[in-house]
């Protein structure tokens, strides 16, 4: 749903950014496990997604199970024809859910693609999480991950330029470990030669994508004016359109004109000017790998944010099929599949993007 007006006025007005105000003080510690599960989903929905489509659904089964589903009605067929990024986003939401559960003393047991071997399986069912109150077994992990949990409400995709300040080597090593322990790999690009090559691929991707009218229409459909009441998509301010008039004109200009050359130059400058580019990848390229990528991604993003480092995505070389192997070659890898390309650095604070209400992402 994209409006705060309801028939009959039976539901109250809802701020599109209200979801980011969730606080652990509101956790129903004396409530039932069912009440606790509903609360945990407030953290799950703060995960990132392509064009902020929020392509996830959750189903509470029985007294202690949450199922995570792909909401393919929110797919992006032009930029993400295989739903690869969509499933990665669901994996990120899954990680938020698990991290929050552990933080509040709830142990989790996860099955990925649980019905895969069933001939009547539902391909949209990505994960099944069984939860139980068991503070003893997860206390140590929850304590070490406390900074990651606290970073959930601080994480943003920051599209502004970053400071020319080196990132700590121990942090970068930690980010690589986060990928490895979640079934993925992370290549950090801070060498100027590799960074320039990657930036060239980003700019090529911009020109190819923005020359396609269908791609521009799909992108424009998810960009909204700053004062929009939409709870999904990207407000103009997320793309630097701080003035309301510019945010109103933005979607029209994107749909109508091929601005690939200008965007390519801008993104190349952002990429080369960032202290670090990083590519998150996997050894195979199947839905299971994508779910694991999403979990690895979110641990990386939260670990970075806990150290006051911002991130944003520049996935053009991965979204354009002919550029994906060139990015792999630029990394010096003979095999593997790049899944996401990020830039990282220190920068200014930015506003979050809207989120849907919990009731809109829970299926009965």
């Amino acid at each position: 749903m994209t409006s705060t007006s309801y028939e009959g006025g039976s539901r109250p007005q809802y701020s599109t950014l209200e979801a980011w105000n969730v606080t652990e003080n509101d956790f129903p510690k004396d409530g039932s496990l069912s009440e606790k599960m509903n609360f945990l989903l407030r953290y799950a929905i703060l995960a990132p997604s392509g064009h902020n489509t929020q392509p996830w659904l959750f189903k509470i089964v029985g007294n202690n199970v949450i199922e995570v589903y792909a909401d393919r009605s929110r797919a992006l067929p032009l930029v993400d024809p295989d739903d690869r990024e969509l499933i990665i986003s669901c994996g990120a939401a899954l990680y938020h859910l698990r991290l929050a559960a552990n933080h509040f003393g709830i142990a989790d047991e996860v099955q990925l693609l649980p019905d895969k071997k069933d001939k009547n399986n539902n391909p949209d069912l990505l994960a099944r999480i069984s939860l139980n109150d068991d503070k003893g077994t997860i206390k140590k992990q929850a304590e070490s991950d406390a900074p990651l949990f606290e970073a959930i409400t601080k994480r943003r995709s920051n599209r502004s330029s970053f400071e020319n300040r080196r990132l700590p080597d121990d942090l970068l090593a930690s980010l690589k470990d986060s990928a490895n322990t979640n079934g993925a790999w992370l290549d950090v690009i801070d060498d100027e030669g590799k960074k320039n090559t990657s930036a060239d691929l980003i700019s090529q991707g911009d020109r190819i994508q923005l020359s396609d009218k269908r791609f521009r229409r799909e992108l424009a459909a998810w960009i909204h004016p700053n004062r929009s009441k939409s709870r999904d998509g990207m407000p103009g301010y997320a793309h630097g359109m701080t003035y309301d008039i510019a945010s109103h004109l933005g979607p029209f200009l994107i749909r109508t004109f091929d601005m690939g050359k200008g965007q390519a130059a801008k993104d190349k400058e952002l990429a080369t000017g960032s202290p670090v580019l990083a590519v998150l990848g996997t050894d195979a390229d199947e839905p299971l790998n994508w779910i694991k990528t999403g979990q690895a991604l979110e641990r990386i993003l939260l670990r970075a944010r806990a150290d006051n480092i911002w991130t944003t995505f520049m996935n053009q070389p991965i979204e354009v099929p002919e550029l994906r192997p060139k990015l792999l070659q630029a990394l010096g890898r003979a095999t593997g599949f790049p899944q996401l390309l990020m830039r990282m650095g220190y920068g200014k604070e930015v506003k979050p993007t809207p989120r849907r209400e919990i009731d809109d992402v829970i299926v009965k």
Side-chain angles (χ1 to χ4, degrees):
M1 297 182 182
T2 58
S3 173
T4 54
S5 298
Y6 299 94
E7 186 175 355
S10 59
R11 295 177 69 180
Q13 291 289 312
Y14 175 87
S15 166
T16 60
L17 302 183
E18 185 177 311
W20 294 91
N21 295 329
V22 60
T23 170
E24 60 183 305
N25 293 332
D26 294 331
F27 179 68
K29 59 182 179 180
D30 297 323
S32 65
L33 188 55
S34 177
E35 291 175 307
K36 293 176 182 179
M37 288 192 291
N38 274 276
F39 181 82
L40 297 177
L41 292 177
R42 296 176 65 183
Y43 289 95
I45 64 170
L46 300 182
S49 58
H51 294 4
N52 194 28
T53 54
Q54 304 167 54
W56 41 67
L57 293 170
F58 306 94
K59 184 176 182 179
I60 297 177
V61 182
N63 296 321
N64 71 324
V65 172
I66 298 178
E67 293 179 338
V68 181
Y69 290 84
D71 183 354
R72 299 187 199 269
S73 70
R74 293 177 166 268
L76 301 169
L78 270 299
V79 74
D80 186 28
D82 299 319
D83 289 345
R84 180 183 59 82
E85 292 183 2
L86 182 152
I87 292 175
I88 289 174
S89 298
C90 292
L94 170 63
Y95 182 78
H96 272 205
L97 176 58
R98 299 179 65 194
L99 180 65
N102 291 174
H103 182 79
F104 290 110
I106 301 173
D108 69 290
E109 181 180 337
V110 179
Q111 296 172 283
L112 301 181
L113 301 178
D115 293 345
K116 184 178 181 180
K117 296 181 180 179
D118 187 335
K119 64 179 180 180
N120 297 316
N121 78 88
N122 182 348
D124 295 339
L125 175 57
L126 303 180
R128 182 177 290 127
I129 311 103
S130 300
L131 303 172
N132 62 85
D133 286 312
D134 188 5
K135 295 180 174 61
T137 59
I138 50 109
K139 182 177 180 180
K140 186 175 181 180
Q141 182 66 39
E143 288 175 351
S144 66
D145 285 346
L148 305 185
F149 171 79
E150 293 169 2
I152 290 178
T153 56
K154 301 174 185 176
R155 186 212 57 81
R156 319 270 191 265
S157 290
N158 191 327
R159 297 176 178 85
S160 62
S161 58
F162 295 150
E163 298 174 17
N164 183 22
R165 184 163 33 132
R166 184 178 176 85
L167 273 59
D169 290 336
D170 59 342
L171 170 67
L172 297 177
S174 175
L175 299 183
K176 291 180 181 180
D177 288 342
S178 294
N180 292 336
T181 56
N182 285 275
W185 46 260
L186 184 74
D187 280 5
V188 173
I189 306 171
D190 51 10
D191 171 81
E192 290 303 315
K194 287 185 178 181
K195 190 187 292 186
N196 288 332
T197 300
S198 300
D200 285 338
L201 293 173
I202 291 168
S203 63
Q204 287 180 48
D206 276 328
R207 288 192 291 270
I208 292 170
Q209 289 181 324
L210 289 168
S211 67
D212 186 336
K213 293 180 180 179
R214 298 170 304 161
F215 172 87
R216 298 203 307 270
R217 284 197 295 268
E218 181 178 85
L219 173 61
W222 290 94
I223 296 180
H224 307 308
N226 289 340
R227 294 176 181 265
S228 170
K229 298 300 183 182
S230 176
R231 299 190 191 96
D232 56 18
M234 299 170 289
Y237 63 74
H239 287 269
M241 303 175 195
T242 54
Y243 295 105
D244 289 342
I245 185 63
S247 70
H248 275 278
L249 289 173
F252 167 77
L253 295 175
I254 291 170
R255 283 193 304 269
T256 307
F257 301 104
D258 177 0
M259 297 183 289
K261 185 176 180 180
Q263 190 65 44
K266 177 183 177 182
D267 285 344
K268 184 174 182 178
E269 183 178 359
L270 284 173
T272 56
S274 297
V276 159
L277 300 179
V279 176
L280 182 61
T282 52
D283 293 331
D285 199 27
E286 300 294 333
L288 180 61
N289 306 106
W290 303 339
I291 300 171
K292 290 181 177 180
T293 295
Q295 293 193 87
L297 166 69
E298 205 52 22
R299 186 170 182 87
I300 289 167
L301 297 184
L302 296 177
R303 176 71 179 85
R305 193 69 202 99
D307 274 30
N308 295 316
I309 290 167
W310 297 102
T311 53
T312 195
F313 301 102
M314 307 194 89
N315 294 324
Q316 298 91 319
I318 302 170
E319 294 166 347
V320 177
E322 60 265 36
L323 298 182
R324 199 178 184 190
K326 294 182 179 180
L327 178 60
L328 185 70
Q329 184 180 14
L331 296 174
R333 285 181 173 266
T335 60
F337 298 89
Q339 300 292 351
L340 298 165
L341 194 161
M342 300 167 276
R343 63 187 185 92
M344 302 179 174
Y346 298 96
K348 62 182 181 182
E349 183 79 28
V350 294
K351 288 174 61 176
T353 49
R355 285 298 183 276
R356 293 192 285 163
E357 291 187 83
I358 289 294
D359 288 347
D360 293 334
V361 298
I362 295 179
V363 295
K364 305 298 183 183

